Amino acid sequence: MVRRLSLILIAAVLIVPALISAQQPLQKIAINFPTRSGASWPMFIAKEGGYYQKYGLDVNLVFGAGTLGVAMISGGEAAMTNSSMEQALQASSRDPNALVMLGSTLNRGMFALMVPNKIGNAKELKNKRIAVSQIGDAPYNYTVAMLAKFGIKPREVQWVPVGTDANARAAALISGRADGTMLTAPAYFPLEKQGYKMVANMADFSDIYASTVYLFTRKTVAANPRLPEAIIRAQTEAIKRFYDDKAFAVKAYIAYDKQSPADVERIYDMIAKSNQLERVPYVLNAAIKSIMDQANADTATQLRDFDPRKVIDNSLVDRLAKEGFFEKTFGPGIKAEVEKKSKAAFK
């Protein structure tokens, strides 16, 4: 009888906290995703797979390209934006005390330099019109870095700002307003079928980084210190699901970007093959250096006097690594990657 009562008490100790936790209301927040591309995939899976909910969050994913993400978190409309590192650094340079970068889920991009078939190669873009969303944004900087590989300086092309996202840049190319533009997958897939061609791809240049960061306002973090950890844990588990479950990953992507399953599978294969989604999301020193160099190559985007140490904080990822979160999530085989990324992290 005593043993039975003891078992009942033990069960109560285990079950009651779980029931209390389950009854606690989820925290409602919005998160901005600035691109309909593979860079946003961890958020799509975290939402559709219930990983945000697992960590106590009721997340509304809101699209907003370019500077809208920074505007949303600054205005309190969103808790976080999956910002390009370029955008985050530019915004932070204007007010280093307002923003903080707490991790990075992507460092390689699949931006393709697309042109009409009549253009033979990238070198022929000198003195031609290049469509960008806006001067100084991430695709602009990627384009500057890409053209430099072919000996073309920023002042040697005519920039055509079109606003919004990759779809508008593609439209500028199709309509003849531009002779070239950088497009992400899957935006450039339909153009290939229409006779346009790729003359260069960022994925082929290891020294051109296309990094994204977990960008918060310091005000948001101070008001809810547990929130960044909940988001990073949720999206890290979503990245594991990405690599483990192609069918679910494709389904989750299509929920936010109505592309054909075949095209989404093509993107998936490209990302998975090159391991582009970071399992251990440190902000990397090499990425910061590359992107600062890209920005400083053009007077329109210079960051020469800005110290990125004012806004980059890898301490949360460091703590999760020391606590064994990544090994628990991905298995003991991730230990070498954790050590490698820790050494490469921005200090």
Side-chain angles (χ1 to χ4, degrees), residues 4 13 34 53 87 112 121-122 126 147 169 171 191 196 199 212 215 245 258 280 305 320 331:
R4 184 180 177 187
V13 169
Q53 188 173 4
Q87 203 77 56
N121 55 60
K126 187 174 182 178
L147 291 175
R169 300 197 300 274
L191 271 67
Y196 295 85
V199 289
T212 60
L215 186 65
D245 191 345
K258 306 299 182 184
V280 186
D305 298 326
L320 290 174

Coordinates of all heavy atoms in Angstrom, one line a residue, residues 4 13 34 53 87 112 121-122 126 147 169 171 191 196 199 212 215 245 258 280 305 320 331:
R4 N 2.5 1.7 -3.3 CA 1.5 2.2 -4.3 C 1.3 3.7 -4.1 O 1.2 4.5 -5.1 CB 0.2 1.5 -4.1 CG -0.9 1.9 -5.1 CD -2.2 1.1 -4.9 NE -3.2 1.5 -5.9 CZ -4.4 1.1 -5.8 NH1 -4.8 0.3 -4.9 NH2 -5.3 1.6 -6.7
V13 N 4.0 14.3 -9.1 CA 5.1 15.3 -9.2 C 5.5 15.5 -10.6 O 5.9 16.6 -11.1 CB 6.3 14.8 -8.3 CG1 7.6 15.7 -8.6 CG2 6.0 14.9 -6.8
P34 N 12.1 38.4 -44.5 CA 12.3 39.4 -45.5 C 12.4 38.9 -46.9 O 12.4 39.7 -47.9 CB 13.5 40.2 -45.1 CG 14.3 39.2 -44.4 CD 13.3 38.2 -43.7
Q53 N 5.7 26.7 -30.9 CA 4.7 26.4 -29.9 C 5.3 25.6 -28.8 O 5.0 25.8 -27.6 CB 3.5 25.6 -30.5 CG 2.4 25.4 -29.6 CD 1.2 24.8 -30.3 OE1 1.2 24.5 -31.4 NE2 0.1 24.6 -29.5
Q87 N 22.0 44.4 -44.0 CA 20.9 45.3 -43.6 C 21.1 45.6 -42.1 O 20.9 46.7 -41.6 CB 19.6 44.7 -43.9 CG 18.4 45.6 -43.9 CD 18.4 46.4 -45.3 OE1 18.4 45.8 -46.3 NE2 18.5 47.7 -45.2
A112 N 21.7 34.2 -58.2 CA 22.2 34.0 -59.6 C 22.2 35.3 -60.3 O 21.2 36.1 -60.2 CB 21.4 33.0 -60.3
N121 N 28.5 36.9 -71.4 CA 29.0 36.6 -70.1 C 28.9 37.8 -69.2 O 28.5 38.9 -69.6 CB 30.5 36.1 -70.3 CG 31.3 37.2 -71.0 OD1 31.5 38.3 -70.6 ND2 31.9 36.8 -72.2
A122 N 29.4 37.6 -68.0 CA 29.2 38.7 -66.9 C 30.0 39.9 -67.3 O 29.6 41.0 -67.0 CB 29.6 38.1 -65.6
K126 N 29.4 45.5 -68.2 CA 30.0 46.8 -68.0 C 29.2 47.8 -68.8 O 28.9 47.6 -70.0 CB 31.5 46.8 -68.4 CG 32.2 48.0 -68.1 CD 33.7 47.9 -68.4 CE 34.5 49.1 -68.1 NZ 35.9 49.0 -68.4
L147 N 30.1 41.5 -59.4 CA 30.6 42.2 -60.6 C 32.1 42.5 -60.4 O 32.9 42.4 -61.4 CB 29.9 43.6 -60.8 CG 28.4 43.5 -61.2 CD1 27.8 44.9 -61.2 CD2 28.3 42.8 -62.6
R169 N 12.6 42.7 -59.3 CA 13.9 42.7 -60.1 C 13.7 41.8 -61.3 O 14.2 42.1 -62.4 CB 15.1 42.2 -59.2 CG 15.3 43.1 -58.0 CD 16.7 42.9 -57.4 NE 16.9 41.5 -56.9 CZ 16.6 41.1 -55.7 NH1 15.9 41.8 -54.9 NH2 16.9 39.8 -55.4
A171 N 11.0 41.2 -62.9 CA 10.1 41.9 -63.8 C 10.8 43.0 -64.6 O 10.6 43.2 -65.8 CB 8.9 42.6 -63.0
L191 N 12.6 32.3 -65.3 CA 13.3 33.0 -66.3 C 14.2 32.1 -67.2 O 14.4 32.3 -68.4 CB 14.2 34.1 -65.6 CG 13.6 35.4 -65.4 CD1 12.5 35.3 -64.4 CD2 14.6 36.5 -65.0
Y196 N 16.2 33.3 -70.5 CA 17.3 34.1 -69.8 C 18.3 33.1 -69.2 O 18.0 31.9 -69.0 CB 16.6 34.9 -68.7 CG 15.7 36.0 -69.2 CD1 14.4 35.7 -69.5 CD2 16.2 37.3 -69.4 CE1 13.6 36.7 -70.0 CE2 15.4 38.3 -70.0 CZ 14.1 38.0 -70.3 OH 13.3 39.0 -70.8
V199 N 24.8 33.8 -65.6 CA 26.2 34.0 -66.0 C 27.2 33.9 -64.8 O 28.4 33.9 -64.9 CB 26.5 35.3 -66.7 CG1 25.8 35.3 -68.1 CG2 26.0 36.5 -65.9
T212 N 22.5 35.7 -42.9 CA 21.3 36.2 -42.2 C 21.6 36.2 -40.7 O 22.3 35.3 -40.2 CB 20.1 35.4 -42.5 OG1 20.2 34.1 -42.1 CG2 19.8 35.5 -44.0
L215 N 18.0 39.2 -35.6 CA 18.1 40.6 -35.2 C 16.9 41.0 -34.3 O 15.8 40.9 -34.7 CB 18.1 41.5 -36.4 CG 18.4 43.0 -36.2 CD1 19.8 43.2 -35.7 CD2 18.2 43.8 -37.5
D245 N 13.8 15.6 -43.1 CA 12.4 15.3 -43.6 C 12.2 16.2 -44.8 O 11.5 17.3 -44.7 CB 11.4 15.5 -42.5 CG 10.0 15.0 -42.8 OD1 9.7 14.8 -44.0 OD2 9.2 14.9 -41.9
K258 N 4.0 30.1 -52.7 CA 3.3 29.2 -53.6 C 4.0 28.9 -54.9 O 3.6 29.3 -56.0 CB 1.9 29.8 -53.9 CG 1.0 30.2 -52.7 CD 0.8 29.0 -51.8 CE -0.1 29.4 -50.6 NZ -0.3 28.3 -49.6
V280 N 24.8 25.1 -36.1 CA 25.3 25.8 -35.0 C 25.4 27.3 -35.3 O 26.4 27.7 -36.0 CB 26.7 25.2 -34.6 CG1 27.2 25.8 -33.3 CG2 26.7 23.7 -34.5
D305 N 33.9 53.3 -40.1 CA 34.1 53.8 -38.7 C 33.2 53.0 -37.7 O 33.1 53.4 -36.5 CB 33.7 55.3 -38.6 CG 34.7 56.1 -39.4 OD1 35.8 55.7 -39.5 OD2 34.2 57.1 -40.0
L320 N 24.4 27.8 -25.2 CA 23.7 26.6 -25.7 C 24.6 25.5 -26.0 O 24.4 24.3 -25.8 CB 22.8 27.0 -26.9 CG 21.6 27.8 -26.6 CD1 20.9 28.3 -27.8 CD2 20.6 27.1 -25.6
G331 N 22.7 15.0 -32.2 CA 23.5 13.8 -31.9 C 25.0 14.2 -31.7 O 25.5 15.3 -32.0

